[in-house]
């Protein structure tokens, strides 16, 4: 295993803060260092890839059975959920839940949405609630959409109460599109881009964003800062619009062609064929049969009518 040709250093960092005496690293780490952030000290081991003698990367950590424990993972300080509300193909709503897990401080966030023009959003239906109380945003900006030209834009600045869940909801109406505006898989639905949530975190727990000073992981771990900028992207949404039956033109063409063929064929036969009465008792001779055989391509077919006995 060789170093990345574009990187100045290539190393593997392992957090052994709580398992320093119960873990055996193979091969042994070249160096170790401690990092103190917000009163908590963490210890890391460093394996430099250029010092590994094996041809392939194989760093093994063997733990004693007593150290293997299972516990719930602590939630990050800020996380969000976003989904579609409502039923039917006419109206609906977009709901986003913002969770502030910090039990000590409130959190100011910037919430931004860009909604396609075919999802006609009503700004007067905007509601922001937390714990049964209505929250008034500190700043709001709304740009109405325009059919086929401009999407709806919503931007809010609000403060999330400590240890709370804030619900942001807004209603919309589904537009009727022209059949030429639908994608090949029309019944799959249309996507709405994710919302963007921006904030500055004071507590850096469960925070793995890179440093703004350097691209190296070591600088992110060792840089002493009191706060970090965080940007979250929520889930994208899938919305079904009123969809026409695209198989109907094919059915209409087939039905029309069948009716026209039956009607036109019958009328054509009645108006173009000539009826000739032949005597059943009169039998043609051999000479007439030969003449009829060679000239049948140039003569009209005769229709024999038998008299009722």
């Amino acid at each position: 295993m060789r170093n990345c040709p574009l990187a100045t250093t290539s190393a593997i960092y392992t957090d052994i803060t709580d398992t320093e005496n119960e873990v055996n690293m193979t091969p042994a780490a070249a160096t170790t260092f401690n990092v103190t952030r917000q009163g908590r000290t963490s210890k890391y081991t460093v394996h430099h890839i250029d010092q590994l003698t094996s041809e392939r990367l194989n760093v093994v950590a063997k733990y004693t059975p007593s150290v293997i424990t299972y516990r719930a993972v602590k939630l990050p300080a800020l996380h969000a959920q976003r989904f579609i509300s409502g039923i039917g193909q006419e109206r609906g709503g977009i709901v986003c839940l913002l969770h502030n897990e910090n039990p000590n401080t409130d959190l100011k966030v910037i919430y931004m949405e860009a909604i396609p023009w075919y999802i006609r959003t009503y700004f007067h239906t905007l509601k922001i609630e937390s714990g049964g109380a209505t929250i008034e945003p500190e700043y709001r900006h709304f740009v109405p959409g325009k059919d086929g030209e401009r999407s709806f834009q919503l931007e809010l600045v609000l403060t999330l109460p400590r240890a709370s869940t804030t619900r942001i909801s807004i209603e919309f109406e589904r537009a009727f599109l022209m059949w030429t505006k639908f994608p090949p898989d029309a019944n799959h639905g249309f996507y709405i881009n994710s919302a963007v949530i921006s904030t500055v975190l004071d507590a850096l727990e469960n925070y793995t964003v890179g440093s703004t000073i350097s691209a190296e992981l070591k600088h992110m771990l060792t840089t002493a800062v009191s706060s970090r900028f965080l940007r979250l992207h929520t889930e994208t949404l899938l919305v079904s619009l009123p969809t026409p039956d695209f198989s109907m033109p094919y059915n209409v063409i087939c039905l029309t062609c069948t009716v026209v063929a039956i009607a036109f064929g019958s009328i054509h036969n009645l108006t173009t064929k000539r009826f000739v009465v032949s005597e059943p008792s009169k039998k043609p001779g051999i000479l007439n049969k030969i003449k009829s055989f060679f000239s049948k391509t140039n003569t009209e077919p005769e229709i024999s009518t038998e008299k009722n006995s």
Side-chain angles (χ1 to χ4, degrees):
M1 187 71 180
R2 297 181 179 179
N3 292 345
C4 175
L6 301 179
T8 56
T9 59
S10 296
I12 301 173
Y13 296 86
T14 306
D15 188 353
I16 58 171
T17 304
D18 300 326
T19 60
E20 180 180 1
N21 299 324
E22 291 84 6
V23 64
N24 183 20
M25 304 291 295
T26 306
T31 58
T32 61
F33 66 94
N34 297 328
V35 176
T36 301
R37 293 196 303 176
Q38 294 186 342
R40 185 177 185 273
T41 302
S42 302
K43 187 172 185 179
Y44 295 88
T45 62
V46 184
H47 290 82
H48 297 283
I49 295 179
D50 56 353
Q51 298 178 3
L52 298 178
T53 58
S54 177
E55 295 182 357
R56 60 179 183 174
L57 181 61
N58 187 17
V59 178
V60 181
K62 294 182 179 180
Y63 295 87
T64 58
S66 60
V67 80
I68 301 177
T69 58
Y70 300 93
R71 58 183 181 271
V73 179
K74 186 177 181 180
L75 294 175
L78 175 65
H79 59 99
Q81 297 171 296
R82 186 164 169 256
F83 53 89
I84 293 291
S85 64
I87 58 176
Q89 293 291 322
E90 183 180 2
R91 296 181 179 272
I94 299 176
V95 180
C96 186
L97 302 179
L98 305 180
H99 303 272
N100 180 14
E101 301 295 342
N102 193 325
N104 301 319
T105 59
D106 299 341
L107 187 62
K108 180 180 290 188
V109 300
I110 302 175
Y111 180 83
M112 187 173 64
E113 283 258 21
I115 305 173
W117 61 267
Y118 46 79
I119 305 297
R120 294 170 179 167
T121 308
Y122 299 112
F123 184 60
H124 71 278
T125 62
L126 176 65
K127 295 181 181 180
I128 306 175
E129 300 173 334
S130 179
T134 301
I135 296 180
E136 188 67 23
E138 302 174 15
Y139 172 80
R140 67 179 72 188
H141 177 68
F142 180 74
V143 178
K146 191 174 182 180
D147 287 357
E149 297 183 9
R150 185 178 61 205
S151 62
F152 295 85
Q153 297 181 16
L154 173 64
E155 185 176 3
L156 301 172
V157 178
L158 65 153
T159 301
L160 308 180
R162 65 192 70 181
S164 66
T165 299
T166 303
R167 186 178 189 269
I168 302 176
S169 62
I170 191 168
E171 298 180 4
F172 64 81
E173 181 182 23
R174 295 173 170 88
F176 286 90
L177 300 181
M178 297 180 61
W179 68 274
T180 55
K181 300 293 184 180
F182 284 89
D185 190 4
N187 292 292
H188 179 71
F190 293 80
Y191 285 100
I192 300 179
N193 294 332
S194 60
V196 181
I197 305 168
S198 304
T199 187
V200 176
L201 292 179
D202 294 331
L204 303 182
E205 296 181 2
N206 291 5
Y207 185 88
T208 56
V209 180
S211 172
T212 57
I213 302 175
S214 172
E216 295 185 12
L217 179 62
K218 184 176 181 180
H219 288 86
M220 184 195 73
L221 298 175
T222 58
T223 302
V225 293
S226 58
S227 60
R228 293 273 190 177
F229 176 76
L230 176 66
R231 176 175 292 151
L232 295 179
H233 294 264
T234 63
E235 303 92 342
T236 57
L237 302 178
L238 185 62
V239 180
S240 297
L241 297 182
T243 306
D245 184 5
F246 288 99
S247 65
M248 186 56 66
Y250 172 77
N251 299 335
V252 172
I253 291 173
C254 292
L255 179 61
T256 304
C257 292
T258 303
V259 173
V260 170
I262 295 175
F264 179 79
S266 302
I267 296 174
H268 182 269
N269 288 336
L270 292 175
T271 55
T272 58
K273 282 192 175 183
R274 184 179 58 176
F275 293 89
V276 178
V277 179
S278 62
E279 296 293 339
S281 59
K282 184 178 180 181
K283 297 181 180 180
I286 297 177
L287 184 59
N288 292 332
K289 289 182 179 180
I290 295 174
K291 291 180 179 180
S292 175
F293 176 77
F294 286 103
S295 61
K296 64 181 180 179
T297 56
N298 298 326
T299 60
E300 294 289 339
E302 295 182 356
I303 299 178
S304 300
T305 58
E306 296 181 1
K307 295 182 179 180
N308 295 331
S309 57

